[in-house]
């Protein structure tokens, strides 16, 4: 029987000030470990408050990983990491689903 390949996720974090989002990183890593997911890419974006989801190159890079079939989901610490605006979040989530992926919010266990 061939070895199974672990599910791959892209970890997408927002950097809202000069500090690295360490707490959010650890929370997402812990969540991924709970499900034995491999984090194939960690993206730290400092443009989350300045631009909508469709205009952030780092978020588009995360989506591209799904389009290239190198990951199956984007893991975020909160929904607001993508967008605090429901319509913007839903529009981006639809693009992720069209890429055969999903957005997972790392909830505490």
């Amino acid at each position: 029987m061939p070895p199974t390949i672990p599910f791959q996720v892209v970890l997408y974090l927002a950097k809202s000030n000069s500090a690295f989002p360490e707490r959010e990183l650890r929370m997402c890593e812990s969540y991924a470990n709970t499900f034995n997911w491999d984090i194939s890419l960690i993206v730290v974006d400092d443009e989350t408050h300045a631009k909508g989801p469709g205009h952030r190159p780092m978020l588009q890079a995360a989506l591209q990983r799904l389009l290239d079939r190198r990951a199956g989901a984007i893991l975020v610490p909160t929904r607001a990491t993508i967008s605090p605006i429901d319509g913007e979040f839903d529009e981006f989530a639809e693009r992720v689903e069209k890429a055969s992926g999903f957005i997972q919010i790392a909830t505490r266990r």
Side-chain angles (χ1 to χ4, degrees), residues 2-96:
T4 59
I5 298 171
F7 186 71
Q8 302 290 310
V9 298
V10 175
L11 179 55
Y12 181 79
L13 303 170
K15 186 175 177 185
S16 58
N17 57 34
S18 62
F20 184 83
E22 188 72 33
R23 185 180 63 81
E24 291 85 354
L25 172 65
R26 298 293 165 236
M27 182 175 72
C28 288
E29 286 177 330
S30 175
Y31 189 90
N33 287 336
T34 299
F35 295 98
N36 294 316
W37 292 349
D38 276 358
I39 297 171
S40 65
L41 178 67
I42 298 173
V43 176
V44 180
D45 196 342
D46 59 359
E47 296 185 342
T48 58
H49 298 292
K51 299 179 180 179
H55 303 286
R56 282 185 263 164
M58 300 301 286
L59 185 54
Q60 298 309 309
L63 177 61
Q64 189 61 49
R65 195 84 167 193
L66 275 64
L67 290 166
D68 293 343
R69 305 284 187 252
R70 294 179 5 207
I74 297 174
L75 179 59
V76 296
T78 67
R79 182 180 171 102
T81 304
I82 301 295
S83 178
I85 302 168
D86 286 340
E88 284 185 352
F89 177 89
D90 294 341
E91 184 178 305
F92 186 76
E94 187 175 307
R95 291 181 63 201
V96 169

